Amino acid sequence: QSSLSTNDTVNLSDTMDNSQAGNESVNLILASYLNLKDALAKDDSEMAASSAKEVETALTSFDKNSLTAEQAKVFDDIQSDAKEHAEHISSNGGNIKHQREHFESLSTDMYDLIKSTGATGKTLYVDHCPMYNNNKGANWISQTKDISNPYLGKAMPDCGVVKEELK
């Protein structure tokens, strides 16, 4: 049996196959996105700004080497758009309406990334708020079946339905 001493380092990419490494990268983006969603649901624009900065950092440092060619193409297609929306959210603390407008587009990018990579290792839910944006509606990704609406926040926290389950 081998054991690691405190001087040994483990390179995670050496201990995982490529798909697991891809899962970790997607999960970093997803975790930041979910924090952003939760902040908007609580009407906390400053926490939303901070979480959006984390999304931006995770998108920038994402390692595409673990993706298939098709997955990498999807990531390339959404990366700059998603980063732009995250930047808008992070630079607009105090303007939650503007943050929510960009969150709608960021949610679409996240959906495309998750559908492409399937790399979350957990069940996620695509939720829909029918009332947002003058009843045009908008979707978001959630980690629970319980609705916690990031578009209407505390005004209507449970407005919405689960539209799809992502596994």
Side-chain angles (χ1 to χ4, degrees):
Q1 290 183 350
S2 71
S3 63
L4 294 174
S5 74
T6 55
N7 294 330
D8 292 333
T9 59
V10 176
N11 182 339
L12 285 179
S13 63
D14 291 342
T15 63
M16 295 186 255
D17 64 26
N18 280 349
S19 65
Q20 287 174 309
N23 287 355
E24 290 302 312
S25 296
V26 172
N27 281 336
L28 287 173
I29 298 169
L30 178 63
S32 301
Y33 168 86
L34 292 171
N35 288 337
L36 169 58
K37 185 257 318 163
D38 291 342
L40 291 173
K42 294 174 185 167
D43 296 334
D44 187 340
S45 68
E46 294 304 325
M47 180 55 84
S50 174
S51 297
K53 189 69 178 161
E54 291 173 11
V55 171
E56 188 182 338
T57 300
L59 284 163
T60 301
S61 63
F62 188 87
D63 180 9
K64 292 187 307 188
N65 291 331
S66 60
L67 301 179
T68 66
E70 185 178 317
Q71 290 169 335
K73 182 183 180 327
V74 171
F75 183 78
D76 287 341
D77 289 346
I78 69 156
Q79 184 183 27
S80 65
D81 189 56
K83 279 177 54 179
E84 181 181 330
H85 294 298
E87 287 169 10
H88 274 276
I89 295 166
S90 70
S91 64
N92 278 281
N95 186 351
I96 202 158
K97 183 179 185 305
H98 187 70
Q99 289 175 318
R100 286 177 169 144
E101 290 168 0
H102 285 279
F103 181 75
E104 179 181 3
S105 298
L106 180 61
S107 293
T108 300
D109 291 334
M110 286 300 301
Y111 176 82
D112 291 345
L113 178 63
I114 292 165
K115 285 295 275 191
S116 166
T117 61
T120 63
K122 60 188 92 157
T123 301
L124 297 170
Y125 303 91
V126 179
D127 296 338
H128 179 75
C129 171
M131 296 178 68
Y132 179 70
N133 196 9
N134 296 317
N135 297 322
K136 290 179 185 168
N139 296 335
W140 73 93
I141 309 293
S142 178
Q143 70 274 36
T144 65
K145 277 189 176 181
D146 296 334
I147 299 296
S148 182
N149 191 315
Y151 297 110
L152 303 179
K154 291 178 183 176
M156 295 188 74
D158 55 1
C159 176
V161 295
V162 175
K163 237 178 94 169
E164 184 179 351
E165 228 176 79
L166 304 173
K167 294 184 178 192

